[in-house]
Amino acid sequence: MTQTTTSGQPVATPRGTRPAGPRRATLVAGLLLGLAAGLLVALVSVGVGARQVPLDQAWAALTAYVPGDIAHEAVRSRVPRTVLGLLVGASLGLAGALMQGLTRNPIADPGILGVNAGASMFVVLGIVVLGVTSPAAQVWFAFAGAAVAAVAVYWVASLGRGGPTPVKLALAGACITAALTSVITALLIMNTRAWDTFRFWQVGSVAGRSLDIVGTVLPYLVLGMLVALASGRVLNALSLGDDLARGLGQNVGRARGLAAVGVVLLCGGATAAAGPVAFVGLTVPHVARAITGPDYRWILPYSGLLGAVLVVLADVLGRIVAHPGQLQVGIVTAFIGAPVFIALVRRRKLAEL
């Protein structure tokens, strides 16, 4: 259990102690409000598209589906992308909060541990070497690449004195990302057919994904979410520094390893299913932190909820702005996330994590 100091850093409090009642009630109410917002944007998502369906008919299509009804068929066809948007957003929000807590780096995102680059590398290899063009098959290549890259970053950062410190993790991630990006560029320059296939995955999108893809990544995302939500107390201890965390009885190496597994599961699964979606993992944890304060037991669930709402809302906006076509969700999140992140930086100094 933790409280905060006047400098904003969480400090340990006796086990079993709970936050003050009104503060806790406000945070719980905020979570319920976020859950309601998620349900609302999901309902809007299944009703918006080339054929607009009013909310009452969209709800009727979900609760009393009538085969052959055009409106109901339109709603049903949008369910997979809505479910995937919720899962991808929640996963990236949680993964961003985990990475920022794990590395104590306020600009950490899925790129810092090489996850996006690793996933992209394996997808390109699958296209170039094996001719894999099916999104369902590319999921496994992306997931394997994300896992291999994250393990490689952790292994490189573990070399030398001090083990995988936050600075060494960030440097190792940046180096491996740069190396993999160079190889990807070289492979795509030499194979234009592979580039045509790869660019549709790289932009980041939940459109055209089937429930089969959702089912493929769902177990990994759920496991990753459970690991992330159980890591709040550990991240609070790590935010005090390694020495204090050890003094509080934490096994720092094991805690970082477990959190890294959660990052791989969440980022790997989300990136594999939807491609790299920018700014969600970077921006959402800062918004959550501005609401909850520095306690990761609240930052993590808030980040998951806000990430889910942001990705589905971005997907809906992409369909409205470019109607009757659509913008990919990765483009819209970049347009939304970049100014929000700049505003956060300008309004308040980013907290040292």
Side-chain angles (χ1 to χ4, degrees), residues 220-255:
Y220 305 101
L221 296 182
V222 171
L223 183 58
M225 289 177 188
L226 294 177
V227 170
L229 293 174
S231 301
R233 188 186 301 275
V234 172
L235 294 181
N236 281 342
L238 290 177
S239 69
L240 301 174
D242 291 359
D243 292 337
L244 271 176
R246 292 190 184 94
L248 293 171
Q250 296 290 340
N251 184 324
V252 173
R254 185 174 61 189

Side-chain angles (χ1 to χ4, degrees), residues 103-123:
T103 63
R104 299 206 298 273
N105 186 337
I107 59 171
D109 75 344
I112 198 169
L113 293 182
V115 173
N116 288 347
S120 300
M121 180 70 194
F122 271 53
V123 168

Side-chain angles (χ1 to χ4, degrees), residues 290-311:
I291 298 172
T292 67
D295 191 338
Y296 277 95
R297 293 169 305 161
W298 292 103
I299 291 174
L300 287 164
Y302 266 84
S303 295
L305 272 176
L306 292 173
V309 172
L310 174 60
V311 169

Side-chain angles (χ1 to χ4, degrees), residues 25-51:
T26 301
L27 292 174
V28 171
L31 285 177
L32 295 176
L33 184 62
L35 188 61
L39 293 174
L40 178 61
V41 295
L43 188 59
V44 172
S45 175
V46 297
V48 173
R51 181 182 183 82

